[in-house]
Amino acid sequence: MEPKAAALARGTRDFGPAQMRRRQFVFGIITEAFRRYGYGPLETPAMEQLATLTGKYGDEGDKLIFHILNSGNFAEGIEEGVWMHQRSNPKGLVPLISEKALRYDLTVPLARFVAMNHSKIAWPFKRYQIQPVWRADRPQKGRFREFVQCDADIVGQEISTFHRAELLRIYQEVLEALGFHSFAVKVNDRRLLALLAAWGGISGRWAALGIQLDKLDKQGWDKVGPELVQLGMRSEAVEHLQAALPASGRDGFVMSWEDYRTAVSRWMQDPNCIDDAGLREQTELALDETQQMVEAYERLGSNPSKLTFDPCLARGIDYYTGPVVEVVSPALGLGSLGGGGYYSGLTAMFGYPDWKGMGISFGAERILEGMEQLGLFREEVGRGLDILCYATSPGMELVAQQWTARWRGQGLAADWYAGTGKFKKAYQYAQLTETVALVILGDREWAQGEVTVHWIQGDHQRKVQPEQIDAAFLGSALKQA
Amino acid sequence: MEPKAAALARGTRDFGPAQMRRRQFVFGIITEAFRRYGYGPLETPAMEQLATLTGKYGDEGDKLIFHILNSGNFAEGIEEGVWMHQRSNPKGLVPLISEKALRYDLTVPLARFVAMNHSKIAWPFKRYQIQPVWRADRPQKGRFREFVQCDADIVGQEISTFHRAELLRIYQEVLEALGFHSFAVKVNDRRLLALLAAWGGISGRWAALGIQLDKLDKQGWDKVGPELVQLGMRSEAVEHLQAALPASGRDGFVMSWEDYRTAVSRWMQDPNCIDDAGLREQTELALDETQQMVEAYERLGSNPSKLTFDPCLARGIDYYTGPVVEVVSPALGLGSLGGGGYYSGLTAMFGYPDWKGMGISFGAERILEGMEQLGLFREEVGRGLDILCYATSPGMELVAQQWTARWRGQGLAADWYAGTGKFKKAYQYAQLTETVALVILGDREWAQGEVTVHWIQGDHQRKVQPEQIDAAFLGSALKQA
């Protein structure tokens, strides 16, 4: 067999040890927060029945689903005529030769799981899920065909404002634990978007409004303003909105809850709104619930609130029906670090229309990128080996192996570098594996009860008794012996 | 849209929170051992180029690979004639419409990664990898189409006997940490299998011999004995072998290293063997290396050795070229809990013929099944919530929420059960989420500075000051207040 040039499939990545340790750290912090807040782990299979996924993500989404070819002689049973006819019609052909597809997100699998297990699970069902998803997007910088999603959702008959607030609080806790300082948790409510539409003179057209507002981030008011006027929004309303939000959506730090509530009350007085009893009721409900959610949010943490309000935040308008949330860190310029919201009807697709839910998602890949950019990974995060033992002579190899075993027994990550006379290579190995201490065992020092420790990070050496190394590692901090 | 009945793809599984916590515990123990022994994490994508996987697993394996359909109008460019002609020829058709496939194991991706990154990685490259693989096997009890593999490998120019031994030692440490007592780490060497073949009168036919010996587990000597004779093995040799291994392969606890070495020396005296210089050399090398490996193994741990030797252990005869290992727990009757061995030529498929390697794999799904069977999961492993707060009146809800927040701040997993007047439901929720303590806040007790703790496991209640609950959880052990 000819050796093949090794290559990855387009749009996919390997994560070697150094990257993986950083990823594990971030996922660990997120998992830990989910756990403390009472969210349990869920994993669903990579392959779902095609019928479970099709039609859930819109036409554009359907095109991005990866299909798995049926096994065996999969085309044999298809009539010749059909086989010919469907050749250039993927929509007709795919279901003939594929009955499974790869997970596209974690939300539809959640809905399927809940529908399948509704009689056995604890209600409200609080689950987190951290798994890869696959999308046949055109690969480009920062966009991959396989990437990890990182979701927490609560699903039930009713979702208390306490539990809505806790999801917002998790954002704050996780991002602070990761070392981010400059970020905002932006909140809005789909029902207040309906009010905004009515106030702007385009009653009922909140969906179209939402689509335009979603573009604010990238295109700014210069582009979106005229589009809103085109949509039928009063130009004074557009100007007023822009004035109320001088910092464009992109900057994120937009309004306190008090200011937003005041603005909403003012909008409500508009003739377009005040006469619409349904709108009035929905607005009052949204205000009450948001008020309660804000209060619960404040009770949930002792550190200052990162909660802000953005009346132009729309997010997935055909999906969310209540509060929506997005986390931004304008300084990073990476787009949102996460988002979510309240939904109803998600499980309707599987025959259970009554369940509501609220979920949040961490943009793990962007968070990782942001942490690299800001240098937020502390040295310990990447640490591979604690100790690498190197013997300067064959006679010291046995001792080096014994001390390696001893340190492993104490819970340290330790290894012995095979072979003597290769100090430079051992040193390189220590560097590449992000080793903390290279321990050098030489005959002469050993006869005096000593070894040489080379601390890789500071690049300095000293002679110590080997037991002192235990103390350096097992002490409260990583003191350097 | 009609709601669809929710269902899984055949041969796949969901893992709900209770199962996931147990899985996370097992993977955590394994990961921790890999880390301490200096193996770094690696993750590779689920999708590989078809060319990377095809031809690596034999004809049978190739049939079990899941192929991913190309995106877009994937069949349009195929000529009509070809399209018709290949309809009932999957081997010809698949490469026309699929250029990617799902990971089938973790070994080929490792070889691809090493070939792609050889100039950047630390040699020897020690990596662990815990990821799902997919195989289009017919689903049956205990056999799934998606399952997690759990591998550690060391790859380099040479693999020291110290590092070979550490892989065997990891088996012992992990299984003991998980609570297994009755298991054996069985070792053999492919080169000693060659000796066995020569001694039995079928020189050079060690591969065919290996295939037969691999069946011993399931079929026993009654079936395999005659097959060996059929193969050309001397019937005295077969009888002698059977007598030397009175406990069949299935029981696993077969020979000490000393007994095995003695047997090998005796076999070596046979005229079929002693005249074969190449065989003699290979046998001596195998004996020397095994001796060193056994000594290193003993040095690596203070607990009694679980190492035993099985001259009939073959394992993947077309793959391994030196030591092979398998872990069995006869009492469980689940087959092997893991296996591995030494190989050369693995990276040859990508143009690097010189690298050797040794790897082990944990049969994680079987280990999980075995732990359930033996009741090895300690209560803490499954613990979902530490504390569930329940208020008996709306007036106490705020207090319940505040205490929930406080406990979360202390690192405990805590939640508030929304709604009063539903004690039975709160209790059920606590049971289903594997909660440790249900804390009940009632007006009257609260006025006296007390709450009721209901310990779910023991099903008993008592009144305490809420601060006492902190102490119960944050104390050294989980004492019940």
Side-chain angles (χ1 to χ4, degrees):
Chain A
M1 186 174 53
E2 271 288 286
K4 305 242 170 43
L8 284 160
R10 221 157 57 91
T12 68
R13 295 166 290 175
D14 291 318
F15 300 107
Q19 275 174 293
M20 274 302 296
R21 283 191 289 268
R22 286 159 181 83
R23 292 175 75 83
Q24 286 173 339
F25 172 76
V26 170
F27 292 129
I29 296 272
I30 296 173
T31 300
E32 177 54 21
F34 289 160
R35 187 194 65 81
R36 276 188 301 110
Y37 278 84
Y39 292 80
L42 173 70
E43 282 188 6
T44 63
M47 302 189 298
E48 291 278 356
Q49 289 194 9
L50 194 53
T52 298
L53 302 188
T54 320
K56 306 298 192 300
Y57 306 106
D59 278 351
E60 281 311 302
D62 275 358
K63 284 186 197 147
L64 301 184
I65 291 174
F66 278 114
H67 300 96
I68 295 165
L69 209 46
N70 294 340
S71 305
N73 207 336
F74 56 88
E76 207 177 24
I78 303 170
E79 267 183 47
E80 281 194 17
V82 176
W83 184 242
M84 278 318 289
H85 178 69
Q86 300 288 15
R87 185 168 62 102
S88 50
N89 172 30
K91 252 191 152 162
L93 183 56
V94 168
L96 297 176
I97 59 178
S98 160
E99 56 186 30
K100 289 181 291 296
L102 289 182
R103 188 166 59 217
Y104 180 86
D105 71 0
L106 304 179
T107 307
V108 168
L110 167 65
R112 179 196 49 69
F113 178 85
V114 166
M116 277 178 72
N117 298 279
H118 62 94
S119 63
K120 289 178 276 183
I121 57 185
W123 292 98
F125 183 56
K126 295 176 72 172
R127 82 87 175 82
Y128 74 85
Q129 190 168 358
I130 301 178
Q131 288 192 286
V133 301
W134 295 270
R135 295 184 184 179
D137 256 320
R138 189 185 300 275
Q140 50 179 260
K141 193 184 172 307
R143 193 202 279 163
F144 300 94
R145 290 182 152 186
E146 169 173 334
F147 59 95
V148 171
Q149 283 196 340
C150 200
D151 289 13
D153 287 79
I154 173 169
V155 181
Q157 292 281 346
E158 264 177 77
I159 311 300
S160 75
T161 50
F162 174 84
H163 289 109
R164 299 179 197 189
E166 80 185 8
L167 285 167
L168 310 185
R169 197 82 215 182
I170 289 172
Y171 274 132
Q172 177 166 357
E173 279 194 29
V174 164
L175 289 171
E176 284 176 355
L178 292 175
F180 287 93
H181 295 295
S182 166
F183 67 90
V185 180
K186 293 201 305 181
V187 177
N188 197 16
D189 194 297
R190 214 280 286 142
R191 293 165 293 185
L192 298 180
L193 203 63
L195 173 72
L196 189 66
W199 168 76
I202 46 170
S203 277
R205 304 195 56 198
W206 54 268
L209 174 62
I211 289 171
Q212 291 306 323
L213 293 178
D214 263 343
K215 298 182 189 164
L216 264 181
D217 267 9
K218 285 187 182 143
Q219 306 186 354
W221 281 107
D222 290 352
K223 287 277 269 204
V224 173
E227 296 263 16
L228 291 178
V229 174
Q230 179 108 30
L231 197 67
M233 207 165 181
R234 290 179 293 127
S235 54
E236 317 91 76
V238 175
E239 279 158 31
H240 175 87
L241 202 59
Q242 186 173 357
L245 301 166
S248 88
R250 186 158 196 172
D251 286 344
F253 308 103
V254 279
M255 273 182 165
S256 69
W257 169 233
E258 290 71 23
D259 288 346
Y260 189 22
R261 196 174 40 191
T262 307
V264 166
S265 305
R266 214 167 40 233
W267 298 339
M268 199 64 234
Q269 300 314 311
D270 189 275
N272 284 323
C273 305
I274 198 143
D275 298 334
D276 184 337
L279 183 69
R280 222 165 50 220
E281 193 189 330
Q282 286 296 305
T283 302
E284 272 158 27
L285 196 59
L287 287 177
D288 276 0
E289 288 178 8
T290 310
Q291 179 69 44
Q292 285 176 36
M293 189 169 75
V294 170
E295 286 168 11
Y297 185 88
E298 297 305 330
R299 275 201 303 282
L300 275 165
S302 51
N303 37 5
S305 168
K306 287 281 189 182
L307 221 51
T308 55
F309 283 80
D310 178 354
C312 292
L313 179 66
R315 279 200 84 81
I317 35 89
D318 49 355
Y319 181 70
Y320 295 120
T321 57
V324 288
V325 57
E326 183 170 274
V327 187
V328 290
S329 177
L332 278 175
L334 287 173
S336 88
L337 299 180
Y342 180 98
Y343 46 82
S344 36
L346 181 75
T347 51
M349 57 177 91
F350 296 108
Y352 298 88
D354 290 343
W355 297 330
K356 319 278 186 294
M358 183 159 165
I360 57 168
S361 187
F362 282 91
E365 310 285 356
R366 278 191 189 160
I367 287 172
L368 281 153
E369 203 181 324
M371 290 185 69
E372 288 291 353
Q373 205 171 304
L374 299 174
L376 296 182
F377 287 111
R378 294 186 308 277
E379 190 206 325
E380 314 88 273
V381 171
R383 190 190 303 168
L385 282 172
D386 295 307
I387 298 171
L388 181 68
C389 277
Y390 168 78
T392 59
S393 71
M396 292 306 298
E397 287 186 354
L398 213 63
V399 180
Q401 294 177 7
Q402 278 159 345
W403 277 88
T404 299
R406 178 192 151 117
W407 283 316
R408 287 172 175 173
Q410 290 172 343
L412 298 176
D415 212 341
W416 164 67
Y417 189 80
T420 57
K422 297 180 186 168
F423 178 76
K424 207 180 143 196
K425 285 200 170 178
Y427 186 78
Q428 274 178 354
Y429 187 83
Q431 285 185 307
L432 283 170
T433 54
E434 299 184 273
T435 297
V436 180
L438 176 60
V439 173
I440 304 152
L441 290 98
D443 297 272
R444 210 171 309 166
E445 282 115 352
W446 187 251
Q448 295 165 353
E450 287 189 327
V451 298
T452 300
V453 183
H454 191 117
W455 299 97
I456 301 293
Q457 181 74 5
D459 198 22
H460 63 273
Q461 289 195 351
R462 61 187 298 177
K463 284 184 192 164
V464 294
Q465 295 165 347
E467 290 82 1
Q468 285 180 274
I469 298 170
D470 305 24
F473 278 99
L474 303 172
S476 59
L478 180 71
K479 294 184 221 88
Q480 300 201 347
Chain B
M1 185 176 52
E2 270 287 286
K4 304 242 170 44
L8 284 160
R10 221 157 58 92
T12 68
R13 295 166 289 175
D14 291 318
F15 300 107
Q19 274 173 293
M20 275 303 295
R21 283 192 288 269
R22 286 158 180 83
R23 292 175 76 82
Q24 287 173 339
F25 171 77
V26 170
F27 293 128
I29 295 271
I30 296 173
T31 301
E32 177 53 22
F34 288 159
R35 188 194 65 82
R36 276 188 301 109
Y37 278 84
Y39 292 80
L42 173 70
E43 282 188 6
T44 64
M47 302 190 297
E48 291 279 356
Q49 289 194 10
L50 194 52
T52 300
L53 304 188
T54 320
K56 305 298 191 299
Y57 307 106
D59 279 352
E60 281 312 301
D62 275 359
K63 284 187 197 146
L64 301 184
I65 291 174
F66 278 115
H67 299 96
I68 294 165
L69 209 46
N70 294 341
S71 304
N73 207 337
F74 56 88
E76 207 176 25
I78 302 170
E79 267 183 48
E80 280 194 17
V82 175
W83 184 244
M84 277 319 289
H85 178 68
Q86 299 288 15
R87 184 168 62 102
S88 48
N89 172 29
K91 254 191 151 163
L93 182 56
V94 168
L96 297 175
I97 59 177
S98 160
E99 57 187 29
K100 290 181 290 298
L102 290 181
R103 188 167 56 217
Y104 180 88
D105 71 0
L106 304 180
T107 307
V108 169
L110 166 65
R112 180 197 47 71
F113 178 84
V114 167
M116 278 177 70
N117 298 279
H118 63 95
S119 63
K120 290 177 277 184
I121 57 185
W123 293 97
F125 184 55
K126 295 177 72 172
R127 82 88 175 82
Y128 73 86
Q129 190 169 358
I130 301 179
Q131 288 194 285
V133 301
W134 295 271
R135 295 184 184 180
D137 256 320
R138 189 185 299 277
Q140 51 179 260
K141 191 182 174 310
R143 192 203 281 163
F144 299 95
R145 291 184 152 186
E146 169 173 333
F147 59 95
V148 171
Q149 284 195 339
C150 202
D151 290 13
D153 286 79
I154 173 170
V155 182
Q157 292 279 347
E158 264 177 75
I159 311 300
S160 75
T161 50
F162 174 84
H163 289 109
R164 300 180 196 187
E166 80 184 8
L167 285 167
L168 310 184
R169 196 81 215 184
I170 289 172
Y171 273 133
Q172 175 166 357
E173 279 194 29
V174 165
L175 290 171
E176 285 175 356
L178 292 174
F180 287 93
H181 296 295
S182 166
F183 67 90
V185 180
K186 293 201 305 182
V187 176
N188 197 16
D189 193 296
R190 213 282 285 143
R191 294 165 291 184
L192 299 180
L193 203 62
L195 172 72
L196 191 65
W199 168 76
I202 47 170
S203 277
R205 304 196 56 198
W206 54 267
L209 173 64
I211 290 170
Q212 291 306 322
L213 293 177
D214 262 343
K215 297 183 188 164
L216 264 182
D217 267 8
K218 283 187 183 142
Q219 307 185 353
W221 282 106
D222 290 353
K223 287 277 269 205
V224 173
E227 297 264 16
L228 291 178
V229 175
Q230 179 107 30
L231 196 65
M233 206 166 182
R234 290 179 292 125
S235 54
E236 317 89 78
V238 175
E239 278 158 32
H240 175 88
L241 201 59
Q242 186 173 357
L245 301 165
S248 87
R250 187 158 195 170
D251 287 344
F253 307 104
V254 279
M255 275 180 164
S256 70
W257 168 234
E258 290 72 21
D259 288 347
Y260 188 23
R261 197 176 38 192
T262 308
V264 166
S265 304
R266 215 166 39 233
W267 298 339
M268 199 62 236
Q269 301 315 311
D270 189 275
N272 286 323
C273 305
I274 200 145
D275 299 334
D276 184 335
L279 182 70
R280 221 164 51 219
E281 193 189 329
Q282 286 296 306
T283 301
E284 271 157 30
L285 196 60
L287 287 177
D288 276 359
E289 288 179 8
T290 310
Q291 178 70 41
Q292 286 175 35
M293 188 169 76
V294 169
E295 286 168 12
Y297 184 88
E298 298 304 330
R299 276 200 303 281
L300 274 165
S302 51
N303 38 6
S305 168
K306 288 280 189 183
L307 220 51
T308 55
F309 283 80
D310 178 355
C312 292
L313 180 65
R315 278 200 86 80
I317 33 89
D318 48 354
Y319 182 70
Y320 295 120
T321 57
V324 289
V325 56
E326 184 172 273
V327 186
V328 290
S329 177
L332 278 175
L334 287 173
S336 89
L337 299 179
Y342 180 99
Y343 45 82
S344 35
L346 181 75
T347 50
M349 56 178 92
F350 296 107
Y352 298 89
D354 290 343
W355 297 332
K356 319 276 185 294
M358 183 159 166
I360 58 168
S361 188
F362 282 91
E365 310 285 355
R366 280 191 188 160
I367 287 172
L368 281 152
E369 202 181 325
M371 289 186 69
E372 287 291 353
Q373 202 172 306
L374 299 173
L376 296 183
F377 287 112
R378 295 186 307 275
E379 191 205 325
E380 313 88 273
V381 172
R383 191 191 301 167
L385 283 172
D386 294 307
I387 298 171
L388 181 67
C389 277
Y390 169 77
T392 61
S393 72
M396 292 306 297
E397 287 186 355
L398 214 62
V399 181
Q401 292 176 10
Q402 279 159 345
W403 277 88
T404 299
R406 178 192 151 115
W407 283 316
R408 286 172 175 173
Q410 290 172 342
L412 298 175
D415 212 341
W416 164 67
Y417 189 80
T420 57
K422 297 180 186 166
F423 177 76
K424 208 179 142 196
K425 286 200 168 176
Y427 186 77
Q428 274 176 355
Y429 187 83
Q431 284 186 308
L432 283 169
T433 54
E434 300 185 273
T435 296
V436 179
L438 176 59
V439 173
I440 303 152
L441 290 100
D443 297 274
R444 210 171 310 168
E445 281 115 351
W446 187 252
Q448 294 164 355
E450 287 190 327
V451 299
T452 301
V453 183
H454 191 118
W455 298 98
I456 301 294
Q457 179 74 5
D459 198 21
H460 63 272
Q461 289 195 351
R462 61 186 299 175
K463 284 183 193 165
V464 294
Q465 295 166 346
E467 291 82 1
Q468 286 180 275
I469 298 170
D470 304 23
F473 278 97
L474 303 173
S476 59
L478 181 71
K479 296 187 219 88
Q480 299 200 348

